[in-house]
Amino acid sequence: MRVAIVGAGAVGRSIAGELLENGHTVMLIEKDGRKVRTRSVPGAEWVQADACEVSSLEEAQLATCDVVVAATGDDKANLVVSLLAKTEFAVNRVVARVKDPRNEWLYTEAWGVDVAVSTPRVLAALVEEAVTVGDVVRLMSFRKGAANLVEITLGDDTPWVGRALREVPLPRETVLTTILRGDRVITPSPDEPLESGDELLFVSHGDTEEELQYVFAPEGPGGTAR
């Protein structure tokens, strides 16, 4: 992919480095000349410009990018960049950093944002994921909550332990994407038996999370089916 990252601070440079390692083409756009440090991310294309100006984005050929990441430390700038990327340049995917969690409600499709990333929210989700067993933990939201990446860790009291995935009555609009078992990453198959301690990653509609929780509860359908 060709990815434009607006904001060449520590966050922007770190994202750029990761994407370059994964074989993507990266363009860093930074307004402040003091932050244009080409040696810090040598594989990236650097553009010194104000990304809140349409003319600057035209010169940077933003329309050729598959993804734009608004990663500045200013929520106002991130929102403006997101809106311009989506409405003026028809960028397919816009990811925006939420600097102040109080402004998270603004990061919607109305501002051109496809995915909003709030560090406090992500950290809280990771803490919950690490210590919670038997409860659905939301890790990330897509399309403003229309779909979520959620995780549930199976406890010893889960009635589905030892039974094949095909037996589990998953809610509508819910897809099991991965099973994490120890240091293994398992692609789900209908005949795969579940084990205690499995971490199940789902993409699910927000309205079905309570139903998903019930499916894996001791008193759920798995418990009554035996």
Side-chain angles (χ1 to χ4, degrees):
M1 296 184 298
R2 178 169 170 78
V3 183
I5 301 173
V6 178
V11 173
R13 294 197 305 272
S14 296
I15 297 170
E18 292 286 340
L19 291 172
L20 287 166
E21 287 184 6
N22 291 334
H24 302 294
T25 301
V26 175
M27 174 173 59
L28 277 162
I29 304 176
E30 173 56 53
K31 179 181 179 180
D32 188 348
R34 295 170 298 178
K35 294 182 180 179
V36 177
R37 305 169 186 170
T38 56
R39 293 184 180 179
S40 63
V41 191
E45 173 188 351
W46 286 78
V47 176
Q48 184 179 349
D50 185 352
C52 293
E53 297 287 343
V54 173
S55 58
S56 297
L57 299 179
E58 287 177 342
E59 290 182 10
Q61 297 183 328
L62 199 73
T64 65
C65 295
D66 302 292
V67 182
V68 167
V69 181
T72 79
D74 185 333
D75 283 328
K76 296 187 294 298
N78 288 341
L79 289 169
V80 170
V81 168
S82 298
L83 184 63
L84 292 176
K86 185 66 71 174
T87 60
E88 298 294 327
F89 299 92
V91 175
N92 184 55
R93 191 74 163 169
V94 177
V95 180
R97 173 192 180 192
V98 182
K99 175 64 173 178
D100 187 338
R102 294 173 297 181
N103 295 327
E104 188 173 2
W105 65 277
L106 288 167
Y107 284 73
T108 66
E109 289 182 356
W111 280 95
V113 179
D114 293 307
V115 178
V117 181
S118 171
T119 301
R121 182 179 294 277
V122 171
L123 290 175
L126 291 175
V127 169
E128 287 186 304
E129 184 271 337
V131 302
T132 304
V133 175
D135 291 330
V136 171
V137 177
R138 184 180 298 179
L139 301 178
M140 184 173 291
S141 294
F142 307 101
R143 299 293 180 183
K144 312 301 148 322
N148 300 310
L149 178 65
V150 301
E151 184 268 354
I152 185 167
T153 300
L154 302 185
D156 295 332
D157 58 352
T158 302
W160 298 108
V161 169
R163 299 163 71 177
L165 277 173
R166 66 170 72 250
E167 299 181 45
V168 182
L170 293 180
R172 69 193 187 286
E173 301 183 52
T174 298
V175 178
L176 176 61
T177 59
T178 305
I179 301 173
L180 302 180
R181 182 177 296 156
D183 58 357
R184 297 176 60 199
V185 179
I186 300 172
T187 301
S189 67
D191 297 323
E192 181 68 37
L194 295 172
E195 298 182 9
S196 176
D198 281 354
E199 296 181 48
L200 310 183
L201 295 179
F202 298 89
V203 175
S204 175
H205 193 283
D207 294 339
T208 66
E209 290 179 17
E210 288 188 10
E211 187 177 350
L212 181 64
Q213 174 91 43
Y214 174 70
V215 166
F216 288 95
E219 68 277 9
T224 59
R226 291 187 172 184

